[in-house]
Amino acid sequence: MSIPTTMFSASYQPGNTELVINPAYPVPRPKAGEVLIKVSASGVCHSDVSLLSGSWLDERQYVLGHEICGVPIQLGQDVDPNEIHLGKLYTVNLLHPCTHGAVLTSTVGEGLDGGYAEYVIVPEGQLVLVPEGVSLEEAAIAGDAATTAYHAVYDSAGIKEGTNFKVLIFGIGGLGHLALQYAKHYGATVYAVDIKPEARALALELGAVEAYSLSTLNDKIKNGGFQVDISIDFAATSQTFQLAMSALTQGTKPYPFTGKAIMVGLSEESMNFSTLGLVTSGISVQMSVYGTRSSTEAALNLFATGAIRALITTAPLHDVNEVINKLRSFEVEGRMVLIPKLQCSSESYHTKSRLKALTSRLVQDAEQRVTDWLGTTRVDVLA
């Protein structure tokens, strides 16, 4: 296929709170061990918002966007065409097999040019083949949101086949709504916490037993008798941390209690605790950062089987700054994904299926109310 010499791109440049748009950015060429990818979709992450908002400093300039799927169109020297197939869909895992140290600051879209563009260079070892049945949107978010959430649940928290933990999840956003489903999939009883009513409604829809605001959770803990085995925190504020500690130490579980507080979210807030209190509580506080290639593969397979469904809204790549600002103002439910050449924003089929399921549940509720009112065994309110 013909490869153009320039492309649309959106770059991070120090001192700018928005991405710098360049409609004629040079299309790169792959070196040895690299692959030129035509970007199919790119997810938008809150870490991009944090970088643009000055939460941490980076003096480098590069195309942002680390949550990518796309199609190889040109192979660099030494790339085996029997391993990397031209024209097939791949997700980009952020970890290069041979990289050590501060890997998530020197990878695709994090220090190196990323996916807020029409083409991107990716080391061959970071490409994960997407199985049949996975959409472009799902394949994109599998590279970060799904990988991070899966790793937090399965590897860090140890929620897997044969377990039956009680789990408290803070933040039912782009990662949290996936983590909730992973935990449910592996047999956990899940409680959810979010400040937004619509996020709490989504949590209940996805199978949470109960969904709390911060104040209602605080009241429930004060009333006693509420205890969980594991907390997974995608908000990571001092308030959510203290609530997690309280929920993990309530109740009458025998010593030694081995509760886990898994911290995933990024914030600038300090978490206050004493080593005396932490050691005697038996709680293990653990950071969970990203995930392995196997996490990405597992997340893709769960999308392929339909066991997990993502709430995704798509927008044109050209609207990237508008999307960034929506994330900045917490207007996004689920995950946003940018599509090159898309003409206008749209809800993906994931959202439509969600609305269909919600409608079905509302109809069932209506049937039950009519049944209760008439005192009959069943009433068909819809043909």
Side-chain angles (χ1 to χ4, degrees):
M1 65 174 295
S2 175
I3 301 173
T5 58
T6 62
M7 63 180 179
F8 177 94
S9 71
S11 296
Y12 165 75
Q13 294 185 11
N16 288 281
T17 58
E18 292 196 339
L19 293 166
V20 177
I21 304 301
N22 185 346
Y25 195 82
V27 174
R29 292 295 183 262
K31 300 175 183 176
E34 297 179 338
V35 179
L36 179 63
I37 298 291
K38 183 176 176 62
V39 176
S40 300
S42 186
V44 185
C45 182
H46 269 286
S47 64
D48 296 339
V49 176
S50 297
L51 177 63
L52 288 166
S53 300
S55 295
W56 62 82
L57 299 178
D58 192 341
E59 296 302 320
R60 298 168 295 183
Q61 298 184 17
Y62 51 90
V63 177
L64 215 56
H66 58 266
E67 201 171 65
I68 309 163
C69 75
V71 176
I73 60 170
Q74 189 176 40
L75 306 182
Q77 184 180 354
D78 301 328
V79 176
D80 187 350
N82 294 315
E83 294 292 331
I84 303 298
H85 304 281
L86 295 175
K88 293 286 188 178
L89 184 65
Y90 286 82
T91 290
V92 177
N93 181 279
L94 297 179
L95 297 178
H96 191 281
C98 299
T99 301
H100 303 280
V103 60
L104 295 184
T105 61
S106 297
T107 187
V108 178
E110 297 281 357
L112 306 177
D113 279 352
Y116 294 165
E118 295 171 277
Y119 299 88
V120 63
I121 291 290
V122 180
E124 62 171 320
Q126 292 179 233
L127 293 174
V128 181
L129 185 64
V130 176
E132 292 292 330
V134 179
S135 70
L136 296 178
E137 298 97 329
E138 291 169 326
I141 71 167
D144 180 13
T147 293
T148 301
Y150 185 89
H151 176 68
V153 170
Y154 192 86
D155 298 309
S156 299
I159 302 168
K160 51 189 68 176
E161 300 92 338
T163 62
N164 60 350
F165 295 115
K166 292 175 68 176
V167 181
L168 183 62
I169 296 180
F170 291 88
I172 311 302
L175 278 71
H177 89 289
L178 297 172
L180 190 160
Q181 294 178 78
Y182 295 139
K184 284 283 296 180
H185 179 75
Y186 290 118
T189 300
V190 181
Y191 302 87
V193 188
D194 202 289
I195 61 174
K196 297 193 293 186
E198 58 269 28
R200 298 196 294 271
L202 174 62
L204 294 172
E205 182 189 331
L206 294 174
V209 175
E210 293 179 334
Y212 309 108
S213 65
L214 294 174
S215 61
T216 55
L217 176 61
N218 186 55
D219 291 341
K220 188 171 183 68
I221 292 172
K222 282 184 175 180
N223 290 334
F226 179 74
Q227 184 180 30
V228 296
D229 304 300
I230 298 167
S231 68
I232 305 177
D233 193 345
F234 293 96
T237 67
S238 58
Q239 188 175 11
T240 59
F241 180 76
Q242 292 303 324
L243 285 170
M245 292 297 102
S246 297
L248 287 164
T249 54
Q250 291 291 312
T252 58
K253 288 214 170 186
Y255 180 85
F257 174 57
T258 54
K260 292 182 181 179
I262 308 299
M263 306 297 293
V264 189
L266 302 176
S267 79
E268 298 178 82
E269 294 191 28
S270 298
M271 310 298 160
N272 297 316
F273 59 89
S274 71
T275 55
L276 174 63
L278 197 59
V279 169
T280 56
S281 73
I283 297 171
S284 171
V285 178
Q286 181 179 339
M287 306 298 111
S288 185
V289 181
Y290 194 55
T292 62
R293 183 184 182 92
S294 63
S295 302
T296 304
E297 292 170 341
L300 284 167
N301 287 331
L302 287 169
F303 280 143
T305 62
I308 305 298
R309 56 194 179 96
L311 176 57
I312 300 171
T313 303
T314 58
L317 174 61
H318 284 62
D319 291 348
V320 58
N321 276 320
E322 180 182 333
V323 171
I324 289 286
N325 286 329
K326 285 183 178 180
L327 261 73
R328 188 177 272 137
S329 57
F330 299 98
E331 296 177 22
V332 175
E333 186 181 11
R335 204 68 165 174
M336 289 289 300
V337 172
L338 301 169
I339 309 291
K341 306 300 184 184
L342 186 67
Q343 296 302 309
C344 60
S345 299
S346 65
E347 291 180 332
S348 70
Y349 76 90
H350 311 283
T351 303
K352 293 175 183 176
S353 66
R354 172 182 173 241
L355 292 175
K356 182 178 179 181
L358 181 58
T359 301
S360 175
R361 192 177 70 185
L362 291 173
V363 169
Q364 291 172 4
D365 290 345
E367 287 181 343
Q368 186 60 53
R369 286 195 298 272
V370 174
T371 297
D372 294 342
W373 178 55
L374 294 177
T376 59
T377 57
R378 187 181 186 278
V379 174
D380 290 323
V381 296
L382 291 179

